[in-house]
Amino acid sequence: MHSSAGPPLIQLAPMEGVLDWVLREQLSAIGGVDRMVTEFVRVTDKLLPDHVFRRYCPELEQGGKTRAGTPVFVQLLGGQSGPMAENAARVAALGAPGIDINFGCPAKTVNRHDGGAALLQKPERLYEVTKAIRAALPAEIPVTAKVRLGFDHKEFHREIAAAVDEAGASHIVVHARTKKEMYQPPAHWEYIARMKVGRRLPFLANGEIWGVSDYHACALASGVERVALGRGLVRRPTLAHEIRAEILGVTASYDFEPLQFLTEFFASTLAYRGEAYAVARLKQMLRYWAAADATAALWFAQAKLFTQATQAQDFLRERIRESKCLPLPFTPASPTALSANAPRLC
Ligand SMILES: Cc1cc2nc3c(=O)[nH]c(=O)nc-3n(C[C@H](O)[C@H](O)[C@H](O)COP(=O)(O)O)c2cc1C
């Protein structure tokens, strides 16, 4: 685990406004993820000041890794190859272990300004941007690309893979939907199998992997064993461990206690950006968890009314006290994990 050289088995799929350094730090401490990626940094026509890169990726101050040692690639988004290459070279000089390029963002403002998924309409643009970044970086710094199957149709899916492969990307993450499909299920994993034909570079499948059974369905349809996990990992922070255990044929083993996780998350976000932000992030996290877990749904129903840090802190303290009697969320899938997470009896 934790290498920036070879392709990762399990990578974090970046999520703007969700997977900031605080959450990366906590997920990395639980483990199971080989590589992480920052939220996208938008590049226009200029070299960005260093503080922007450090804000998106404070891990640069510690060698481009989380404290637990997971490498963090910096993701750039933009359509102009010159500035993209210049910014990539700068962020590599600041210590990024790799650069990821965002060719998948569906946001209208981003696409209007020639970035993200807009480039999928002309696969040669993916080639130009990837090639320019590759040429601007030392050989040992990998460049990776995150794509969708197309913009408003899937006809170019093979050209999209060919473009980033021929431009020298080290791997490609395919979010198996078009831009037009946004986040609408299902993910069309079977297209990844077609994109792979004749390609040199490793593929990671992405989209709609919420549990181990989704992982198996995705691997079967795509013919790819490597994955990038986004919302599924936020919803279930042990998911990477569970999938890794399946791939390696071992029993999942991890240390995860939901209330402790939330308490640390809240304390870190409070210290980082203050009360309003910390309260909002706690609610956001519980909303993700609530979608899959009845206990978390009850917690969210209460937490969504909070406006102050003290309410959140009192709430978490009270839940911790209660948890000594009641089952915690996340009924684990494996016997080892069961003992790690077993509810304690009064
Ligand atoms: C709130 C949110 C923010 C996202 N931000 C980014 C981003 O900054 N860069 C990127 O490449 N993809 C971004 N994505 C897309 C995810 O990385 C991923 O491709 C998508 O959510 C599908 O994977 P999942 O089903 O595992 O979540 C974002 C998705 C969501 C839901």
Side-chain angles (χ1 to χ4, degrees):
M1 266 210 272
H2 297 172
S3 157
S4 48
L9 202 51
I10 302 181
Q11 174 167 303
L12 186 83
M15 288 172 64
E16 192 228 348
V18 181
L19 284 161
D20 63 356
W21 70 271
V22 175
L23 190 47
R24 289 198 295 272
E25 192 62 49
Q26 286 205 229
L27 292 172
S28 163
I30 296 170
V33 176
D34 302 296
R35 192 180 294 169
M36 299 192 153
V37 180
T38 65
E39 300 157 274
F40 70 81
V41 181
R42 178 100 167 266
V43 171
T44 54
D45 54 355
K46 290 185 201 59
L47 178 62
L48 292 163
D50 291 353
H51 70 82
V52 172
F53 295 122
R54 294 205 173 99
R55 188 174 75 234
Y56 278 94
C57 188
E59 294 94 337
L60 290 171
E61 307 289 340
Q62 49 199 32
K65 292 181 175 174
T66 63
R67 267 182 297 177
T70 315
V72 182
F73 282 26
V74 174
Q75 187 182 67
L76 301 183
L77 179 152
Q80 296 187 44
S81 46
M84 285 289 274
E86 193 187 5
N87 280 281
R90 182 64 200 148
V91 78
L94 291 175
I99 303 294
D100 186 57
I101 317 172
N102 180 326
F103 292 130
C105 181
K108 279 204 175 69
T109 40
V110 163
N111 290 177
R112 249 200 325 269
H113 293 98
D114 192 35
L119 276 68
L120 299 169
Q121 296 169 102
K122 294 196 172 148
E124 63 274 19
R125 307 268 329 271
L126 310 189
Y127 177 85
E128 280 161 24
V129 171
T130 309
K131 180 97 177 157
I133 292 180
R134 181 59 280 160
L137 296 179
E140 70 276 11
I141 305 286
V143 177
T144 59
K146 179 144 178 293
V147 304
R148 286 181 177 243
L149 299 177
F151 190 75
D152 48 12
H153 60 75
K154 302 186 183 70
E155 278 162 42
F156 297 154
H157 64 284
R158 298 210 52 211
E159 286 82 355
I160 287 166
V164 298
D165 189 15
E166 285 159 20
S170 297
H171 79 229
I172 182 171
V173 174
V174 183
H175 176 189
R177 274 185 276 245
T178 61
K179 179 264 167 192
K180 195 173 164 193
E181 290 166 342
M182 298 295 281
Y183 294 96
Q184 193 87 38
H188 306 280
W189 301 313
E190 66 281 7
Y191 276 81
I192 300 175
R194 296 174 206 158
M195 292 169 95
K196 265 176 44 180
V197 176
R199 291 289 129 228
R200 163 201 62 88
L201 86 177
F203 279 67
L204 275 71
N206 170 242
E208 300 298 320
I209 301 173
W210 301 97
V212 169
S213 60
D214 296 325
Y215 169 77
H216 284 304
C218 173
L220 192 67
S222 65
V224 165
E225 113 174 314
R226 303 173 192 278
V227 284
L229 303 174
R231 294 164 301 166
L233 189 66
V234 176
R235 189 188 275 186
R236 189 173 178 89
T238 56
L239 182 59
H241 268 297
E242 293 167 43
I243 291 175
R244 175 176 296 280
E246 287 286 305
I247 299 172
L248 303 178
V250 298
T251 306
S253 164
Y254 45 77
D255 187 11
F256 172 65
E257 205 285 286
L259 286 165
Q260 191 181 332
F261 181 93
L262 290 175
T263 304
E264 286 168 12
F265 179 66
F266 187 77
S268 300
T269 46
L270 187 63
Y272 172 41
R273 283 186 46 191
E275 184 172 58
Y277 181 74
V279 170
R281 294 300 310 274
L282 179 69
K283 292 181 194 177
Q284 180 190 56
M285 181 71 76
L286 285 174
R287 192 182 303 116
Y288 271 100
W289 289 12
D293 185 276
T295 308
L298 289 175
W299 293 352
F300 176 62
Q302 294 177 58
K304 70 181 180 192
L305 305 173
F306 297 163
T307 53
Q308 289 164 9
T310 49
Q311 291 173 298
Q313 286 157 335
D314 290 349
F315 170 81
L316 289 168
R317 232 175 272 125
E318 184 58 20
R319 298 291 81 72
I320 286 171
R321 200 186 57 73
E322 268 177 21
S323 74
K324 300 200 167 72
C325 315
L326 296 171
L328 291 165
F330 297 112
T331 310
S334 72
T336 323
L338 189 63
S339 60
N341 263 358
R344 281 148 290 179
L345 298 172
C346 285

